[in-house]
């Protein structure tokens, strides 16, 4: 079997200590393609490219078996908070 969703979650969690992590297997179950959303304090002060490199570095031991990784979100906790105006509209 290839890399599991749990393998990807564990690798990203160990490297980035995320406050939010969603890993989706987009390969139909064979473990060859994943979509990732991650929120971490470790992204503070980093540009988007640096954040993506951090995720890819965390996954480096598994990359020989993974065909594709799509990093949908790589945010700091502050960036992940909804804007006040959006929250007010949701409550209305």
């Amino acid at each position: 079997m290839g890399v599991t969703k749990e393998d990807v979650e564990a690798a990203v969690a160990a490297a980035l200590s995320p406050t939010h992590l969603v890993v989706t297997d987009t390969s139909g179950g064979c473990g060859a393609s994943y979509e990732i959303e991650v929120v971490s304090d470790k992204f503070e002060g980093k540009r988007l490219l640096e954040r993506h490199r951090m995720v890819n570095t965390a996954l480096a031991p598994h990359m020989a078996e993974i065909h594709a990784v799509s990093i949908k979100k790589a945010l700091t906790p502050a960036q992940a908070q909804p804007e006040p105006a959006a929250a007010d509209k949701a409550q209305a």
Side-chain angles (χ1 to χ4, degrees), residues 58-92:
L59 296 174
H62 302 293
M63 288 308 290
E65 298 180 65
I66 297 175
H67 174 70
V69 172
S70 175
I71 303 168
K72 292 296 184 182
K73 293 182 184 176
L75 305 172
T76 66
Q79 291 171 323
Q81 296 299 318
E83 293 183 24
D88 292 341
K89 289 179 186 176
Q91 292 178 4

Side-chain angles (χ1 to χ4, degrees), residues 27 39 51 54:
S27 67
V39 177
R51 295 173 187 191
M54 292 169 72

